[in-house]
Amino acid sequence: MEIIVVILAYLFGGIVDAVCGGGGLIILPAFFAIGVPPHVAVGTNQTAVLPGIVTSVAKFHKSGKIDVKNAIYAAPFGLIGGFVGAKLNLMVSESYLQILLMVLIPVLALVTLFKPNVGNEDRSGENSRRKMIILSAVIGFVVGTYHAFYGPASGTFYMLAFAMLLGYDLVTANGNTRFVTLFVSAVSSITYALSGSVNWLYVLAAVPAYAIGNYIGA
């Protein structure tokens, strides 16, 4: 029954993540419901979503909806943020972490549901190269740190940041989000795995379900 819950959570979470972000709002509560400790829940989720992110990145890139020449500036700072966020998570005691994560879920759900109506057209070409580099770096580090610390709605935060601060249309902003998330999830999953905070049985069950969900959503 636990494996079935994990598969369904990652299938629907993958669809939501690829469309608009926020799939973690489905996945993390599912882990908590079957009694997975907070550190292991976040670490397992970071590891399980990585192959699905690769799938959606390939899909967006094939459709020409990733601005790689600018998104690449966010990637190295996302790597740093991913490491910092994972380390911060592992430093917090499980009792406090579970309370914090459960309190954040309804708040993040509201943010996802009522996000601003932005990104109807692509105005990214109006930015100077300096502005693109600086803001991409800030977006990569700040959201990357949150993404590795917890995860839910990080895709939404990335997408809104790319759309509101850099003027991308929502589809390209989402493509950029998946690109940067690939780097953040890679470094954070390694950090969690080295600390022993990954349930590999759940990862094996989640990977194909999340990959299918990401493909459908993309």
Side-chain angles (χ1 to χ4, degrees):
M1 183 58 70
E2 290 178 2
I3 297 298
I4 292 173
V5 170
V6 170
I7 290 172
L8 291 176
Y10 274 92
L11 177 63
F12 289 108
I15 294 172
V16 172
D17 257 346
V19 172
C20 60
L25 295 171
I26 297 172
I27 295 168
L28 267 299
F31 273 137
F32 296 150
I34 59 177
V36 178
H39 289 136
V40 177
V42 177
T44 300
N45 182 51
Q46 293 290 339
T47 306
V49 299
L50 189 55
I53 293 171
V54 173
T55 304
S56 63
V57 167
K59 181 74 172 176
F60 275 105
H61 183 65
K62 184 178 179 181
S63 302
K65 293 300 181 181
I66 300 178
D67 187 4
V68 177
K69 68 180 185 298
N70 288 321
I72 196 68
Y73 295 120
F77 291 92
L79 284 171
I80 298 171
F83 178 76
V84 171
K87 283 295 186 181
L88 287 174
N89 178 288
L90 294 169
M91 289 170 61
V92 179
S93 69
E94 289 204 339
S95 57
Y96 290 116
L97 184 62
Q98 185 158 19
I99 294 172
L100 175 63
L101 301 189
M102 292 305 294
V103 168
L104 281 174
I105 286 174
V107 175
L108 296 172
L110 290 174
V111 171
T112 304
L113 286 172
F114 299 105
K115 58 181 179 292
N117 183 24
V118 295
N120 294 321
E121 58 181 330
D122 188 357
R123 295 182 291 101
S124 59
E126 300 173 6
N127 299 310
S128 67
R129 174 60 56 189
R130 178 185 176 87
K131 180 180 179 180
M132 292 294 289
I133 294 173
I134 293 175
L135 289 181
S136 293
V138 171
I139 292 168
F141 178 76
V142 174
V143 186
T145 300
Y146 166 76
H147 175 98
F149 179 81
Y150 186 21
S154 59
T156 301
F157 295 148
Y158 266 127
M159 186 170 61
L160 289 176
F162 278 121
M164 296 176 68
L165 299 180
L166 295 176
Y168 285 104
D169 64 274
L170 281 182
V171 177
T172 305
N174 201 5
N176 290 351
T177 294
R178 309 311 292 171
F179 179 80
V180 179
T181 300
L182 176 61
F183 294 91
V184 177
S185 291
V187 70
S188 63
S189 63
I190 291 171
T191 305
Y192 282 113
L194 291 175
S195 73
S197 298
V198 175
N199 184 316
W200 293 103
L201 177 61
Y202 290 158
V203 170
L204 290 174
V207 164
Y210 190 74
I212 293 170
N214 260 256
Y215 185 84
I216 294 170

